[in-house]
């Protein structure tokens, strides 16, 4: 599989700039997706297969004046205790060992419980500093705040606690500043306006194109391009909306097939590949669009990532 290799120019980072990787850990429903959306906006990334992130899933890039945080999801670590086999623990430990900072997100509207205990146990062996964000602070009655905070500081003595609300954003800039302060000094790793790493979108597009080629054999050889319109991290599920571009309406007919059967086949094959990549459920919606001569249309080509390099 080939990717465009153009690397956008990186800015000169100011003196004292910090950059690095932050593992985001938390059980389901504590608000990880909400927090990522709050921090970087709607367009957070899904998994990245690029070499250095096979164990850690790249989720989002957050750039401030002072730092760039690359937020990673650590697969497997939130699994219930009985599923957490020895090997999974080891691989989670290794993943945690590769980041600069760990952010453990909990539902701070509930007191610390047994479910938190095992993640804490796991993180106690990690070299990177761990920050604990007590989310859903907006639900906390001020009269109970101290008692709740207390239950967490007893659970994890020494870890900085940050009350936040991923929903309304309160406390999140303080959280980001605290995480950034624990990153090593270093230059930008991605362009300042990047919110996700782009090659993964291209890879998803390639998975769809692969299925088109696989299912249609010679009829549609090179006149097809795939454009990923939207990727939405929708709770446990990732929704991908994509358009398949063809040059002629006859090709559109072939791709859709009798009663939509061909497109269904393509979509289901691509979806299965995506689920392996993302390591989670995927909802894929495919459209087919006729764009005459897209191959000769330079603007369209660069939009699709074919930069010719
Ligand atoms: P994830 O499974 O960890 O990614 O959790 P989600 O981000 O999907 O959030 C789970 C639920 O908690 C959703 O209904 C969110 O709206 C809600 N939620 C997340 N953060 C907050 C928060 O700060 N305050 C409140 N009140 N609800 C939140
Ligand atoms: Mg989520």
């Amino acid at each position: 599989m080939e990717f465009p290799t153009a690397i956008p120019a990186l800015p000169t980072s100011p003196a004292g700039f910090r950059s690095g990787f932050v593992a985001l850990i938390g059980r389901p429903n504590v608000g990880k997706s909400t927090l990522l959306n709050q921090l970087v906006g709607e367009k957070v990334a899904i998994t990245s297969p690029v070499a250095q992130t096979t164990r850690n899933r790249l989720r989002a890039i957050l750039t401030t004046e002072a730092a760039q945080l690359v937020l990673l999801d650590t697969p497997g670590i939130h699994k219930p205790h009985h599923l957490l086999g020895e090997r999974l623990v080891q691989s989670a430990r290794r993943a945690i060992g590769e980041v600069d900072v760990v952010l453990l997100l909990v539902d701070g509207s509930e007191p610390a419980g047994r479910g938190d205990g095992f993640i804490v146990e796991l993180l106690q062996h990690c070299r990177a500093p761990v920050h604990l964000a007590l989310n859903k602070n907006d639900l906390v009655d001020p009269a109970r705040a101290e008692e709740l905070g207390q239950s967490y500081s007893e659970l994890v003595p020494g870890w900085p606690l940050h009350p936040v609300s991923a929903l309304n954003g309160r406390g999140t800039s303080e959280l980001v500043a605290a995480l950034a302060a624990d990153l090593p000094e270093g230059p930008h790793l991605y362009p300042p306006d990047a919110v996700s790493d782009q090659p993964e979108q291209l890879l998803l597009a390639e998975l769809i194109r692969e299925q088109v080629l696989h299912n249609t054999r010679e009829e549609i050889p090179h006149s097809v391009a795939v454009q990923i319109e939207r990727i939405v991290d929708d709770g446990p599920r990732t929704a991908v909306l994509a358009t398949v571009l063809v040059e002629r309406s006859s090709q559109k007919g072939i791709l859709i097939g009798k009663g939509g059967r061909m497109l269904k086949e393509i979509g289901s094959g691509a979806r299965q590949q995506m689920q392996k990549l993302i390591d989670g459920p995927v909802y894929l919606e495919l459209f087919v669009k006729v764009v005459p001569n897209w191959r000769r249309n330079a603007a369209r080509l660069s939009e699709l990532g074919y930069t010719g390099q």
Side-chain angles (χ1 to χ4, degrees):
M1 217 175 280
E2 279 182 16
F3 294 107
T5 50
I7 296 169
L10 294 175
T12 309
S13 310
F17 195 80
R18 295 176 183 273
S19 62
F21 296 88
V22 179
L24 176 60
I25 295 166
R27 291 193 288 154
N29 271 321
V30 295
K32 295 182 298 296
S33 303
T34 312
L35 181 66
L36 287 176
N37 288 340
Q38 177 67 242
L39 294 179
V40 300
E42 293 278 306
K43 295 190 301 172
V44 282
I46 52 160
T47 185
S48 168
V50 289
Q52 73 274 24
T53 58
T54 43
R55 264 196 298 266
N56 290 321
R57 298 162 43 176
L58 172 56
R59 302 307 296 260
I61 301 161
L62 173 61
T63 309
T64 68
E65 304 257 294
Q68 186 169 63
L69 288 70
V70 183
L71 295 153
L72 308 164
D73 206 12
T74 304
I77 199 160
H78 51 71
K79 293 266 163 66
H81 206 167
H82 61 277
L83 288 179
L84 202 75
E86 196 56 31
R87 280 179 53 203
L88 195 52
V89 174
Q90 275 171 11
S91 91
R93 269 197 195 141
R94 204 166 38 223
I96 293 164
E98 286 166 1
V99 297
D100 301 298
V101 181
V102 174
L103 174 59
L104 173 57
L105 192 66
V106 297
D107 180 348
S109 68
E110 302 281 340
R114 302 179 69 205
D116 301 305
F118 101 91
I119 296 185
V120 168
E121 166 78 12
L122 198 64
L123 291 179
Q124 248 146 17
H125 306 282
C126 117
R127 273 169 302 162
V130 181
H131 289 250
L132 185 65
L134 309 182
N135 193 31
K136 310 200 185 183
N137 191 239
D138 53 292
L139 298 177
V140 173
D141 176 354
R144 274 193 80 206
E146 199 181 321
E147 171 204 335
L148 285 170
Q150 188 69 30
S151 75
Y152 285 98
S153 49
E154 276 165 16
L155 191 69
V156 289
W159 293 353
L161 300 189
H162 310 278
V164 298
S165 170
L167 205 59
N168 65 25
R170 223 181 316 137
T172 54
S173 50
E174 291 87 343
L175 172 66
V176 169
L179 295 172
D182 267 346
L183 294 179
E185 282 195 20
H188 286 79
L189 304 168
Y190 294 89
D193 57 354
V195 291
S196 69
D197 99 328
Q198 206 208 354
E200 71 198 12
Q201 289 208 5
L202 297 177
L203 187 100
L204 292 183
E206 280 298 290
L207 291 178
I208 296 170
R209 211 169 63 87
E210 229 172 46
Q211 290 299 315
V212 170
L213 299 180
H214 178 74
N215 283 283
T216 58
R217 296 181 199 90
E218 259 94 80
E219 302 122 308
I220 314 266
H222 297 289
S223 42
V224 67
V226 176
Q227 188 161 18
I228 302 292
E229 311 287 353
R230 262 175 81 102
I231 300 173
V232 185
D233 183 357
D234 180 15
R237 191 180 68 162
T238 302
V240 180
L241 272 63
T243 305
V244 182
L245 305 183
V246 290
E247 292 190 310
R248 289 191 295 277
S249 56
S250 60
Q251 293 167 334
K252 179 173 174 174
I254 294 173
L255 272 193
I256 291 175
K258 269 209 186 81
R261 233 173 287 155
M262 175 63 93
L263 195 61
K264 211 168 158 191
E265 199 63 30
I266 291 167
S268 134
R271 195 171 62 85
Q272 279 170 32
Q273 295 300 315
M274 289 175 179
Q275 294 191 149
K276 275 193 217 154
L277 200 73
I278 287 167
D279 193 22
V282 169
Y283 167 78
L284 172 63
E285 196 158 322
L286 279 183
F287 305 92
V288 184
K289 197 159 132 189
V290 182
V291 180
N293 297 322
W294 69 257
R295 269 188 292 177
R296 262 176 264 147
N297 183 334
R300 193 94 211 177
L301 282 180
S302 59
E303 208 178 294
L304 292 166
Y306 297 104
T307 56
Q309 291 182 34

